[in-house]
Amino acid sequence: MAATRDSEEIESIRAAVRALCAGFPGEYWRELDRERAYPTEFVEALTKAGFLAALIPEEYGGSGLTMSSAIAIMEEIQAAGCNGAACHAQMYTMGTVLRHGSADQKQRYLPKIASGELRLQAFGVTEPTSGTDTLALRTTAVRDGNESYVVNGQKIWTSRAEHSDLMLLLARTTPREQVKKRTEGLSVFLVDMHAAGAALKINPIRTMMNHATTEVFFDDLRVPAENLIGEEGMGFRYILSGMNAERILIGAECIGDAKWLIEKATNYAKERSVFGRPIGQNQGIQFPIARAYAQMRAAELMVHEAASLYEQGKDCGAEANMAKMLAADASWAAADMCVQTHGGFGFAEEFDIERKFRETRLYSVAPISTNLILSFLAEHVLGLPRSY
Ligand SMILES: Cc1cc2nc3c(=O)[nH]c(=O)nc-3n(C[C@H](O)[C@H](O)[C@H](O)COP(=O)(O)OP(=O)(O)OC[C@H]3O[C@@H](n4cnc5c(N)ncnc54)[C@H](O)[C@@H]3O)c2cc1C
């Protein structure tokens, strides 16, 4: 829909994603949505095509693509009416291993993640009591001799845990009151979820959209010491360093959602005739569609700006956060507009609009809520006093 000036390579990736998504029409998603079932065939198709390995370097068997290509993939998935939330984390969670893992960990895991033999798409950070205040998390990993750590605690909203072989887990290895800096004392582990047995319990949480999210309990779970990523106590920094990619990719998904919703609304406004003329002839219908389009295009520019800085290895924290926030605002505005444009039919399952409306609402809350992005900008970009 939008006139983004992509390279030929990216255009061909877009076309390939569109072709793949054409095999997964609205009925496919509607049925899964009713059952809250996982889109296994869709995820397998994306894996087989190499799209989920976009950001894994070729030396580890990945596609070695740029962030611009990766955002094109995620955007096209959503713009085709599909839902990449089922597997988007397979694309970026491995970044922590890639950036901070040892040579052995990279060799051991990345090629299998690239081929899809291993899924690393469960990200255990949020806990019920700490919420957004990650440094207050309570799950502990206590070193037991040289061989292992023993993990106890609980995570919530650990999405795709039932469809993942590995979990990237953030746990406290040094009590909060014993650390010099408040950001220290947390560590990142790769947890082999199959080896965990009864020490790991996963309960699905049924949510307003089909998201395969869960709560996870650790009861004396033994994690081999060799599965610690990087240095003990530095995990919070490692998790933060992966967040820019996550924000940019999810921003691109929101742009895709907004494009799908705007296209639906535009087509319907042209076709639907009331009072003997198309509803799209009324400015009361046209203007919200045009406004949603302008809002989407502005957000799209910020997503592209953030991706470009990311590719150049420049600091893109502010841009990645703004991209995610503006894109989530744009997709939500487009969803609201699309329901309004469709009148009663916006509520009918068969139009898929109510489904997209529910799905896209998430991104103003997760992976980071809008308020926290505004606090980040206020403090770190504008130099205002820290508010919390
Ligand atoms: C469907 C779904 C999937 C998710 N997937 C994952 C996942 O895979 N892995 C994972 O680790 N987490 C996941 N999350 C968690 C998600 O990242 C958090 O829900 C989100 O970060 C908000 O945290 P919270 O829900 O605990 O809200 P809270 O921290 O309780 O905040 C509630 C509200 O208060 C606001 N608030 C809190 N503190 C402040 C402040 N200082 N200033 C202003 N406003 C404030 C927040 O913005 C929010 O609006 C998921 C969540 C959902 C709903």
Side-chain angles (χ1 to χ4, degrees):
M1 164 186 276
T4 20
R5 288 189 304 276
D6 285 335
S7 68
E8 269 179 36
E9 188 195 30
I10 293 178
E11 273 311 330
S12 77
I13 290 171
R14 284 184 184 276
V17 177
R18 275 197 292 271
L20 186 153
C21 290
F24 298 91
E27 306 89 77
Y28 173 77
W29 296 100
R30 253 172 266 148
E31 203 177 317
L32 294 169
D33 187 68
R34 268 180 228 126
E35 304 297 324
R36 294 294 190 269
Y38 192 71
T40 304
E41 306 79 10
F42 176 69
V43 175
E44 278 173 6
L46 285 176
T47 307
K48 204 164 146 227
F51 291 134
L52 299 181
L55 294 173
I56 301 181
E58 283 172 312
E59 62 174 306
Y60 298 112
S63 311
L65 297 173
T66 58
M67 181 56 86
S68 297
S69 301
I71 62 173
I73 293 168
M74 296 319 297
E75 183 197 306
E76 288 297 338
I77 290 172
Q78 302 303 115
C82 300
N83 190 4
C87 52
H88 54 200
Q90 177 78 354
M91 213 186 233
Y92 54 72
T93 312
M94 64 79 212
T96 306
V97 182
L98 183 63
R99 274 186 304 276
H100 307 288
S102 65
D104 176 59
Q105 285 169 336
K106 288 188 229 185
Q107 281 301 345
R108 192 146 34 110
Y109 293 109
L110 293 177
K112 289 184 181 168
I113 294 169
S115 70
E117 189 185 331
L118 284 180
R119 284 198 191 145
L120 170 56
Q121 53 176 1
F123 184 61
V125 173
T126 309
E127 297 187 1
T129 51
S130 57
T132 317
D133 186 5
T134 304
L135 294 176
L137 64 79
R138 292 181 183 175
T139 295
T140 54
V142 178
R143 184 114 192 184
D144 185 27
N146 287 333
E147 299 290 304
S148 56
Y149 286 83
V150 179
V151 177
N152 280 289
Q154 183 191 351
K155 296 287 172 184
I156 194 166
W157 309 120
T158 313
S159 303
R160 302 159 296 272
E162 295 168 297
H163 307 280
S164 206
D165 303 291
L166 300 167
M167 177 194 296
L168 197 74
L169 171 72
L170 186 66
R172 183 159 287 286
T173 38
T174 307
R176 212 175 174 184
E177 51 288 355
Q178 289 175 23
V179 292
K180 287 198 198 88
K181 277 193 187 163
R182 55 184 209 98
T183 51
E184 290 176 358
L186 298 176
S187 302
V188 174
F189 298 90
L190 259 186
V191 175
D192 178 339
M193 296 171 73
H194 299 298
L200 182 81
K201 192 164 169 256
I202 304 173
N203 290 340
I205 303 176
R206 196 177 160 97
T207 52
M208 99 180 168
M209 67 296 177
N210 184 16
H211 198 82
T213 200
T214 70
E215 57 181 351
V216 179
F217 298 86
F218 309 96
D219 183 11
D220 284 336
L221 170 70
R222 275 194 183 271
V223 178
E226 64 186 24
N227 285 23
L228 171 74
I229 305 283
E231 219 183 303
E232 187 185 295
M234 294 294 143
F236 184 66
R237 206 175 295 168
Y238 302 158
I239 292 291
L240 279 188
S241 81
M243 285 182 169
N244 290 337
E246 177 191 64
R247 310 266 194 273
I248 297 168
L249 287 161
I250 288 181
E253 288 178 62
C254 293
I255 297 299
D257 276 344
K259 287 185 180 180
W260 184 89
L261 290 155
I262 292 166
E263 192 176 350
K264 277 266 176 192
T266 307
N267 291 341
Y268 190 74
K270 286 177 190 164
E271 287 161 15
R272 171 73 170 166
S273 192
V274 180
F275 296 109
R277 60 195 193 141
I279 57 167
Q281 202 175 329
N282 302 301
Q283 290 186 334
I285 289 289
Q286 285 178 2
F287 284 7
I289 304 176
R291 184 178 292 279
Y293 178 76
Q295 199 175 343
M296 176 277 289
R297 288 303 310 277
E300 184 180 40
L301 289 176
M302 186 57 81
V303 172
H304 286 230
E305 167 82 355
S308 164
L309 291 170
Y310 182 95
E311 275 166 14
Q312 296 169 57
K314 293 187 179 159
D315 179 18
C316 62
E319 288 76 9
N321 273 294
M322 287 190 284
K324 200 289 265 181
M325 184 186 85
L326 295 172
D329 286 351
S331 66
W332 176 237
D336 192 40
M337 170 283 289
C338 194
V339 169
Q340 199 69 22
T341 303
H342 281 76
F345 290 107
F347 296 83
E349 266 186 13
E350 64 170 297
F351 279 69
D352 293 311
I353 292 158
E354 58 83 36
R355 174 175 63 83
K356 273 277 168 217
F357 179 90
R358 288 181 281 118
E359 285 171 3
T360 213
R361 181 63 181 85
L362 174 65
Y363 298 117
S364 307
V365 170
I368 179 88
S369 138
T370 298
N371 275 4
L372 270 292
I373 293 182
L374 293 172
S375 303
F376 173 86
L377 295 173
E379 183 185 345
H380 296 285
V381 178
L382 303 174
L384 290 165
R386 184 177 171 84
S387 62
Y388 58 93

